Amino acid sequence: MSLLRPLLLDVVPTIQQTAALALGRLANYNDDLAEAVVKGDILPQLVYSLAEQNRFYKKAAAFVLRAVGKHSPQLAQAIVDCGALDTLVICLEDFDPGVKEAAAWALGYIARHNAELSQAVVDAGAVPLLVLCIQEPEIALKRIAASALSDIAKHSPELAQTVVDAGAVAHLAQMILNPDAKLKHQVLSALSQVAKHSVDLAEMVVEAEIFPVVLTCLKDKDEYVKKNACTLIREIAKHTPELSQLVVNAGGAAAVIDCIGSCKGNTRLPGIMMLGYVAAHSENLAMAVIISKGVPQLSVCLSEEPEDHIKAAAAWALGQIGRHTPEHARAVAVTNTLPVLLSLYMSTESSEDLQVKSKKAIKNILQKCTYLPALEPFLYDAPPNILKHVVGQFSKVLPHDSKARRLFVTSGGLKKVQEIKAEPGSLLQDYINSINNCYPEEIVRYYSPGYSDTLLQRVDSYQPLIN
């Protein structure tokens, strides 16, 4: 470091640039080396040269600032403290696209750490110039500028608003159909970071007419484009029933369901969550997810994804779909999802989050489920805290359904209920009593444990009539 520093002031321009490049690569390698660049008092020299030197040096100097600033908020703050932001913003107006790109990259890396650093980048006047950069012809510059806007917008509604006020959304929306996959995933990310904060911001993104064009990205070959498109749709749908309805009307639910079917792993996650948010808003929206064949697709994710956090999201989404009415619960129950949820809840290998989400989903679905064939296996497998919900559902349905009452006897359900040990006076005991009240007393006695012994005793004590 100490040998490289004087070379930044060498009379030969190529030596200056090569020294800066070497420092950048060192600083990029890890935070200790980046720290050494700061401690070696090299930053002020770079900032001074950024304003004075030729375009090759400017690119190299901006690269060093980016390499130092990427590691931590403290290192990014050191760059802000030495006055680099104003100079980097001036570089955004350079005639050379490479210089603009290097400056935008450095500014994005500083802004991504936290709201304070992002605000410093905004205060230096970067946003309107970044919006101009996304309109330049060079794809690489467009990508970096979109990425920097995404990094600025992500921290707070106020910062996202500054990006909106600079007119970024309309220009970003026009690039959704750009053939370049990397640009698309930066554009979709930037729009998501704006839309996620509030209803107003989400509406501004929708008003830029991103539907239905954004749905084409769900069929993209690139996994990141798919994932970011799902994320954008999720960030819009989560806010209100009206925004969810708008997404569904545009064909968004069906398109996301197809997308989940065509990919694996983390790419599926935002789509799974989007379906959960849509279904959570209202009965009608949950029904729209069911009609679009969302439930079988979510069941597949629940069964085949190896990662617990993806399973947990699928469990949560299924719970949101099934919690509205008996019809919704049945749509989930017929896909054989309940036993899977139960085994995930009971498994010691499941993460705590997965256990909690599975339990809540089971409870949500059971409390509405009147489809008895799906409930019956639970009489045998469920732990006591879930068993009471299952018995509760039987006690609601059996009094009103004679066919179900008969089936409940022949399938062994009634016998099983007699074997359940409930605390006298508990809710579970009340449920059992109301089930028993649906049958003649001798039937209930017949299926109670120990009844055969009682019969045998009667045989022993019976005196036959002898003529």
Side-chain angles (χ1 to χ4, degrees), residues 23-186:
L23 282 167
R25 288 187 180 153
L26 285 168
N28 201 27
Y29 184 70
N30 69 22
D31 44 359
D32 293 341
L33 290 166
E35 193 84 46
V37 171
V38 175
K39 290 208 171 87
D41 221 19
I42 291 166
L43 295 179
Q45 180 55 54
L46 286 167
V47 174
Y48 170 73
S49 311
L50 252 185
E52 305 294 319
Q53 297 286 353
N54 66 25
R55 63 202 170 107
F56 300 107
Y57 189 88
K58 283 178 178 171
K59 275 190 264 192
F63 167 58
V64 184
L65 294 173
R66 173 185 114 213
V68 172
K70 78 170 192 181
H71 294 289
S72 71
Q74 293 73 27
L75 286 163
Q77 191 60 53
I79 293 173
V80 175
D81 294 342
C82 72
L85 292 183
D86 294 338
T87 322
L88 284 168
V89 169
I90 292 166
C91 289
L92 288 177
E93 297 186 89
D94 201 276
F95 70 94
D96 182 78
V99 173
K100 287 182 185 167
E101 190 188 323
W105 211 336
L107 289 164
Y109 270 34
I110 292 165
R112 69 170 47 169
H113 292 293
N114 59 38
E116 291 73 40
L117 287 161
S118 191
Q119 191 61 53
V121 171
V122 170
D123 294 342
V127 174
L129 295 170
L130 288 168
V131 174
L132 288 174
C133 289
I134 58 176
Q135 298 167 63
E136 294 282 345
E138 292 79 17
I139 289 286
L141 178 55
K142 282 180 188 288
R143 281 183 202 155
I144 303 300
S147 166
L149 288 167
S150 176
D151 284 329
I152 290 168
K154 72 182 183 184
H155 301 290
S156 71
E158 295 72 29
L159 285 160
Q161 191 64 53
T162 56
V163 171
V164 170
D165 293 343
V169 172
H171 295 293
L172 289 166
Q174 283 163 1
M175 294 191 285
I176 289 174
L177 292 177
N178 193 292
D180 182 77
K182 283 196 178 124
L183 175 59
K184 270 193 289 206
H185 90 233
Q186 298 296 5

Side-chain angles (χ1 to χ4, degrees), residues 386-400:
I386 288 175
L387 187 62
K388 68 168 187 258
H389 297 297
V390 181
V391 178
Q393 288 308 104
F394 277 109
S395 75
K396 284 181 206 162
V397 178
L398 292 173
H400 311 292

Side-chain angles (χ1 to χ4, degrees), residues 100-390:
K100 287 182 185 167
E101 190 188 323
W105 211 336
L107 289 164
Y109 270 34
I110 292 165
R112 69 170 47 169
H113 292 293
N114 59 38
E116 291 73 40
L117 287 161
S118 191
Q119 191 61 53
V121 171
V122 170
D123 294 342
V127 174
L129 295 170
L130 288 168
V131 174
L132 288 174
C133 289
I134 58 176
Q135 298 167 63
E136 294 282 345
E138 292 79 17
I139 289 286
L141 178 55
K142 282 180 188 288
R143 281 183 202 155
I144 303 300
S147 166
L149 288 167
S150 176
D151 284 329
I152 290 168
K154 72 182 183 184
H155 301 290
S156 71
E158 295 72 29
L159 285 160
Q161 191 64 53
T162 56
V163 171
V164 170
D165 293 343
V169 172
H171 295 293
L172 289 166
Q174 283 163 1
M175 294 191 285
I176 289 174
L177 292 177
N178 193 292
D180 182 77
K182 283 196 178 124
L183 175 59
K184 270 193 289 206
H185 90 233
Q186 298 296 5
V187 165
L188 293 164
S189 163
L191 290 168
S192 306
Q193 299 292 13
V194 172
K196 75 179 185 185
H197 293 290
S198 71
V199 179
D200 294 344
L201 287 163
E203 283 173 351
M204 299 215 171
V205 173
V206 170
E207 280 159 17
E209 294 179 5
I210 60 163
F211 289 105
V213 282
V214 72
L215 302 181
T216 55
C217 298
L218 297 171
K219 293 190 170 69
D220 204 274
K221 293 192 295 291
D222 186 281
E223 293 288 298
Y224 287 110
V225 172
K226 278 186 185 175
K227 185 178 177 185
N228 288 4
C230 279
T231 305
L232 172 55
I233 297 167
R234 175 192 78 192
E235 298 299 12
I236 290 167
K238 74 178 185 187
H239 291 292
T240 63
E242 292 73 25
L243 282 166
S244 265
Q245 191 65 58
L246 187 143
V247 170
V248 169
N249 293 352
V256 167
I257 291 162
D258 288 347
C259 178
I260 295 172
S262 71
C263 54
K264 292 268 182 288
N266 269 328
T267 313
R268 280 175 159 172
L269 190 58
I272 292 170
M273 290 176 69
M274 175 267 181
L275 294 175
Y277 281 130
V278 171
H281 285 305
S282 74
E283 281 179 27
N284 292 347
L285 285 163
M287 197 40 85
V289 174
I290 292 170
I291 291 164
S292 305
K293 311 257 189 307
V295 176
Q297 199 54 70
L298 288 168
S299 303
V300 168
C301 298
L302 189 68
S303 305
E304 70 175 32
E305 279 298 335
E307 300 256 2
D308 275 8
H309 68 281
I310 301 174
K311 284 184 192 287
W316 170 78
L318 286 161
Q320 297 304 326
I321 295 168
R323 72 185 175 84
H324 294 286
T325 68
E327 202 183 345
H328 290 81
R330 181 178 179 141
V332 177
V334 293
T335 57
N336 209 23
T337 299
L338 285 166
V340 181
L341 286 169
L342 183 64
S343 66
L344 290 171
Y345 167 56
M346 305 281 281
S347 166
T348 48
E349 285 166 21
S350 296
S351 68
E352 192 185 338
D353 182 50
L354 177 54
Q355 289 178 335
V356 170
K357 296 260 192 329
S358 300
K359 179 185 171 188
K360 192 144 180 18
I362 293 169
K363 212 168 134 181
N364 281 346
I365 298 161
L366 284 181
Q367 284 172 337
K368 290 287 185 240
C369 187
T370 54
Y371 178 62
L372 300 185
L375 293 177
E376 205 149 297
F378 273 65
L379 285 173
Y380 301 91
D381 307 332
N385 58 342
I386 288 175
L387 187 62
K388 68 168 187 258
H389 297 297
V390 181

